[in-house]
Every structure is written in C-alpha cells, then in structure tokens.
Amino acid sequence: MQLNQITEALEHIAQIIHRTPVYQSSTFNRLTGKQLYFKMENLQRTGSFKLRGALNKISHLSVQEENKGVVAASAGNHAQGVAYSASKKGIQSTIFMPVHTPKAKINATEAYGAKVVLTGESYQESYEAACEYQKEYGATFVHAYDDPIVMAGQGTIGLEMLQQCSFLDAIVIPIGGGGLIAGVASAVKQLNPKIKVIGVQSEGASAAYNRFYQTGDAVLKHVEGIADGILVKKTGVNTFPIIRCCVDEIVTVSDEEIASAIILMLERQKMFVEGAGASAIAAVLSGKIQHIGKNIGLVVSGGNVDLDRLPYFNSIAKHSRPKKVYG
C-alpha cells in the first residue's frame, strides 16, 4: 500500500472523524519502565477506529452504488462504522453480526439506522451470510478489513500518531483480520522504517500469529475469548502480505491478561475499554514484548463493551494483576 493512498484517505475522512488524543499515564509508565503513549481510538466517533476505514470506503461509492445500499459483516465495531457512514450519506445499510455480539454494539448499530442480522458464532459465518446477501441484492460489500480502501482509512491512525509523537520507538497494535495493523504499519514504515511495529492477538484467535511464524493452523476452526473485536478465524488475503512485510513481531495474550488491562485502565485512566482495545496494553503489561525501546505507542482500538461484563472481567483479572514488568 502506498503512502499517498493513506494521506488521500485522511483528506476524505478528516471532516467527520475525530483526531483522537494521545494520553500518558504515570502508573503505566511506572509498571513498565517505559514511556507509553495511548492512541485513544475508543474516543473516536462510534467508539472505535473502524469508522475510518468504513467512511473511506463509502466515500468512494458511485451514485449507482449508493442507490443499491451497502452490506457488511462485523463483530460490532465495523458495523457501527458502516452504519454511521451510510447514514451520513442517506444510504441503506444491512449488517450481519455474530450471535454473541455485545448488546451495546447491536443497539448502537441499529441506532445509526442499519438493519442488523445476527448469524454465526464468529465473524467468518457472518461474512459468508453477508456475501450471499450481496450476491442476491447487489449491494456494495464493505469488508471489515480485507479491502485496500478500508486499510488505507485505518492507516490514517499511523499518520496521526507520528504527527503527535514523532519520537516513537515502537507501536503496538491489535490484530483480528489485519486491516488495522496493515494500514498503520504501511504508513509508519514508509514514514520511519526504524519504528518497530508489534502485533497482538488473543490466544483464543491466533490465526495471524500462527501464519506469521508458520506454526499451528492458519485458518482456525473455532475462536473464543473476551476480545470479541479480534476473534477472527483467518487473516485477509490482502492484509497478510503487508503484515509479513511490515510487521516486526506478533505476540499473543490471554483473557486474564486482557481483563487485567481493562480493569487497570478503568481504575487509573477512568476509561472502560473493550477487550480488543486492551490487548495492546496487555501485551506490554505482561512483559511479552522485549527490546522495543523506551517510547512505545499503543493503539487503544475501541471502547464498545457491555457494562454487565465488568464483574466477569474483574473476576478473571485477579489472577493476572500486573507488577513491574521490565527491569
């Protein structure tokens, strides 16, 4: 992906998206012995980075395509991004979501005017159902991650981070299907190839990790975990070549480590972030990423989570509360 595709994407979406802030925390810095810079995409419109890619894709539609509407498959955040972007243009949207999608994401998607269809246990089943709908009705499919226009939209986070923190040594990014990390890594490596890009997956959905290191199944039969936004059974055809080229390392984190990061963010930053959004934080707090320098950027990818899950997060976090993780 060329840098000009990402800069053009920012021009298309800048009037609608938030330029999200970068926060620091003395507590997290003390725990890690690093200077951490949190890119707060949980404060983005619709509560997630996904708006960027969806908005960029929908801004490229022709009038004829707009008239036929759009269809998408999503674990939740992409759904809201598509629904919001379509509503801005008066376009009909139909979203297929896994049956276990948090209620907060379903309700928000419907509130933006989309028709929601719940089907399948994971993104993959929802995706297949959405493809059948697209064939039948001729709507434009807005892919959650495996589309260069969508990836370019997500890559605008990389542009912003380097404008806000040009001195970063590394950036840590969650991975589901790979659209976020592919876009951000493309931008970062073209602007400053010395910056390390580290990906993070849930232990219960490690398709990109397996493929990157050629270990285990590259296509998973089952995914599970609390980070529903990154529970994807396989990486994208378009995303993985960029991951292989531009990403330096991928690690996995457990549900306990993710839950601990969620609770610590709530206690110290007064931010209730979702599992996928906390995964990059969990990777650093757990000490799984070594030799990445002093100044570390973390993409907090989203904050759409059901409040009634908080007691469960707290119960499993007790088994993995972070101590100082770097010497």
Side-chain angles (χ1 to χ4, degrees), residues 2 14 38 40 45 60-62 112 127 148 176 184 231 236 255 275 282 306:
Q2 298 301 311
F38 299 86
M40 306 301 290
R45 290 185 189 274
H60 282 76
L61 296 182
S62 67
Y112 290 129
Y127 168 73
V184 174
L231 299 184
D255 275 0
D306 284 344

Coordinates of all heavy atoms in Angstrom, one line a residue, residues 2 14 38 40 45 60-62 112 127 148 176 184 231 236 255 275 282 306:
Q2 N 0.6 2.2 -0.9 CA 1.4 3.4 -1.0 C 0.9 4.4 0.0 O -0.3 4.5 0.4 CB 1.3 4.0 -2.4 CG 1.8 3.0 -3.5 CD 3.3 2.7 -3.3 OE1 4.1 3.6 -3.1 NE2 3.6 1.4 -3.3
A14 N -11.3 13.4 7.1 CA -10.9 14.3 8.2 C -12.0 15.2 8.7 O -12.0 15.6 9.9 CB -9.7 15.2 7.7
F38 N -0.8 6.3 24.6 CA -2.0 5.6 24.3 C -2.8 6.4 23.2 O -3.3 7.5 23.5 CB -2.9 5.5 25.5 CG -2.3 4.7 26.6 CD1 -1.5 5.3 27.6 CD2 -2.6 3.3 26.7 CE1 -1.0 4.5 28.6 CE2 -2.0 2.6 27.7 CZ -1.2 3.2 28.7
M40 N -6.0 7.0 21.7 CA -7.3 6.6 22.2 C -8.5 6.6 21.2 O -9.3 7.4 21.1 CB -7.7 7.6 23.3 CG -6.6 7.8 24.4 SD -6.3 6.2 25.3 CE -7.8 6.0 26.2
R45 N -15.5 8.7 17.1 CA -17.0 8.6 16.8 C -17.3 7.1 16.6 O -16.5 6.4 16.0 CB -17.4 9.4 15.5 CG -17.3 10.9 15.6 CD -17.8 11.5 14.3 NE -17.6 12.9 14.3 CZ -18.4 13.8 14.8 NH1 -19.5 13.4 15.4 NH2 -18.1 15.1 14.8
H60 N -16.0 6.5 -1.5 CA -15.6 6.2 -2.8 C -16.7 5.6 -3.7 O -16.5 5.3 -4.9 CB -14.4 5.2 -2.8 CG -13.1 5.8 -2.5 ND1 -12.7 6.2 -1.2 CD2 -12.1 6.1 -3.3 CE1 -11.5 6.7 -1.2 NE2 -11.1 6.7 -2.5
L61 N -17.9 5.5 -3.1 CA -19.0 4.9 -3.9 C -19.6 5.8 -5.0 O -19.6 7.0 -4.8 CB -20.2 4.5 -2.9 CG -19.9 3.4 -1.9 CD1 -21.2 3.1 -1.1 CD2 -19.4 2.2 -2.5
S62 N -20.0 5.2 -6.1 CA -20.7 6.0 -7.1 C -22.1 6.2 -6.7 O -22.6 5.5 -5.8 CB -20.6 5.2 -8.4 OG -21.4 4.0 -8.4
Y112 N -27.9 3.8 14.5 CA -27.4 4.5 13.4 C -28.2 4.3 12.1 O -27.9 4.8 11.0 CB -26.0 4.2 13.1 CG -25.0 4.8 14.2 CD1 -24.1 3.9 14.8 CD2 -25.1 6.1 14.6 CE1 -23.2 4.4 15.8 CE2 -24.2 6.6 15.5 CZ -23.3 5.7 16.1 OH -22.4 6.2 17.1
Y127 N -19.7 -13.2 7.8 CA -19.1 -12.8 6.5 C -19.7 -13.6 5.3 O -20.1 -13.0 4.3 CB -17.6 -12.9 6.5 CG -17.0 -12.8 5.2 CD1 -16.8 -11.5 4.5 CD2 -16.4 -13.9 4.5 CE1 -16.2 -11.4 3.3 CE2 -15.8 -13.8 3.3 CZ -15.7 -12.6 2.7 OH -15.2 -12.4 1.4
P148 N -8.3 -2.7 0.3 CA -7.2 -1.7 0.4 C -7.8 -0.3 0.7 O -7.1 0.5 1.4 CB -6.7 -1.7 -1.1 CG -6.9 -3.1 -1.6 CD -8.2 -3.5 -1.0
G176 N -6.9 -8.6 14.4 CA -8.0 -9.5 14.2 C -7.8 -10.1 12.7 O -7.1 -11.0 12.5
V184 N -1.8 0.8 9.4 CA -0.9 1.6 10.3 C 0.6 1.2 10.0 O 1.4 2.1 9.8 CB -1.2 1.3 11.8 CG1 -0.1 2.0 12.6 CG2 -2.6 1.8 12.1
L231 N -11.7 -11.6 17.4 CA -11.9 -13.1 17.3 C -12.2 -13.4 15.8 O -13.4 -13.6 15.4 CB -13.0 -13.5 18.2 CG -12.8 -13.3 19.7 CD1 -13.9 -13.8 20.5 CD2 -11.4 -13.8 20.2
G236 N -6.6 -11.7 6.3 CA -7.1 -11.4 5.0 C -6.1 -11.7 3.9 O -4.9 -11.8 4.1
D255 N -6.9 -14.2 28.1 CA -8.0 -13.5 28.6 C -7.7 -12.8 29.9 O -8.2 -11.7 30.2 CB -9.2 -14.4 28.7 CG -10.0 -14.6 27.4 OD1 -9.6 -14.0 26.4 OD2 -11.0 -15.3 27.4
G275 N -12.2 -5.5 25.1 CA -11.1 -6.5 25.1 C -10.1 -6.3 24.0 O -8.9 -6.3 24.2
A282 N -2.3 -5.0 27.3 CA -2.0 -6.3 27.9 C -0.6 -6.9 27.5 O 0.1 -7.4 28.3 CB -3.1 -7.3 27.6
D306 N -20.2 -4.1 26.8 CA -21.3 -4.2 27.7 C -20.9 -4.0 29.2 O -20.0 -4.7 29.7 CB -22.0 -5.5 27.6 CG -22.8 -5.7 26.3 OD1 -23.1 -4.6 25.7 OD2 -23.2 -6.8 26.0

